[in-house]
């Protein structure tokens, strides 16, 4: 899965390749370092039912789903994220071809 990241201007791309591996393509080294730390970070959350909840955590680069979730949470940092054109599957159900 490959995401395009913008913040009013094009920032770059982040591509999840396998657990623990996110490849970044960005021109600004400072932003690349920030995104590298971000995607290799961990999120903590409450898990389980209300009566039996406990803290859980997961790395943002652990799975494609965790990566996608972390990508869209970048909105909190004023980034806009969308799936890269080259990463969109033409054979997806309901997909349209231009």
């Amino acid at each position: 899965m490959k995401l395009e990241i913008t913040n009013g201007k094009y920032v770059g791309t982040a591509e999840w390749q396998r657990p623990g591996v996110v490849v970044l393509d960005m021109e600004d080294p400072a932003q690349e370092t920030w995104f590298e730390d971000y995607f290799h970070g961990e999120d903590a959350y409450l898990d389980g039912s209300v009566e039996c909840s406990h803290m859980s955590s997961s790395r943002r680069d652990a799975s494609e789903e965790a990566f996608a979730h972390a990508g869209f949470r970048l909105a909190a940092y004023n980034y806009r994220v969308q799936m890269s054109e080259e990463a969109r599957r033409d054979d997806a159900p309901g997909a349209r071809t231009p």
Side-chain angles (χ1 to χ4, degrees), residues 88-97:
R88 292 188 183 139
R89 294 178 15 188
D90 292 337
D91 60 345
R96 292 188 200 166
T97 54

Side-chain angles (χ1 to χ4, degrees), residues 34 38 69-81:
W34 188 89
Y38 177 79
H69 194 224
F72 292 108
R73 279 195 314 269
L74 285 168
Y77 299 95
N78 293 321
Y79 289 101
R80 182 170 181 233
V81 177

Side-chain angles (χ1 to χ4, degrees), residues 37-56:
D37 291 343
Y38 177 79
F39 283 114
H40 287 44
E42 198 171 271
D43 288 317
Y45 52 91
L46 286 174
D47 195 11
S49 66
V50 174
E51 295 85 22
C52 301
S53 63
H54 62 279
M55 289 299 291
S56 294

Side-chain angles (χ1 to χ4, degrees), residues 15-23 39-40 59-63:
E15 180 178 12
W16 184 86
Q17 294 186 337
R18 63 183 179 276
V21 179
V22 174
V23 176
F39 283 114
H40 287 44
R59 284 183 50 119
R60 296 175 186 137
D61 60 359
S63 68

Side-chain angles (χ1 to χ4, degrees), residues 2-41:
K2 189 172 190 176
L3 302 175
E4 292 179 355
I5 304 166
T6 60
N7 64 353
K9 62 180 182 176
Y10 183 78
V11 174
T13 61
E15 180 178 12
W16 184 86
Q17 294 186 337
R18 63 183 179 276
V21 179
V22 174
V23 176
L24 301 170
D25 183 15
M26 299 181 176
E27 291 183 12
D28 182 355
Q31 283 202 326
E32 187 165 333
T33 299
W34 188 89
F35 279 99
E36 189 172 281
D37 291 343
Y38 177 79
F39 283 114
H40 287 44

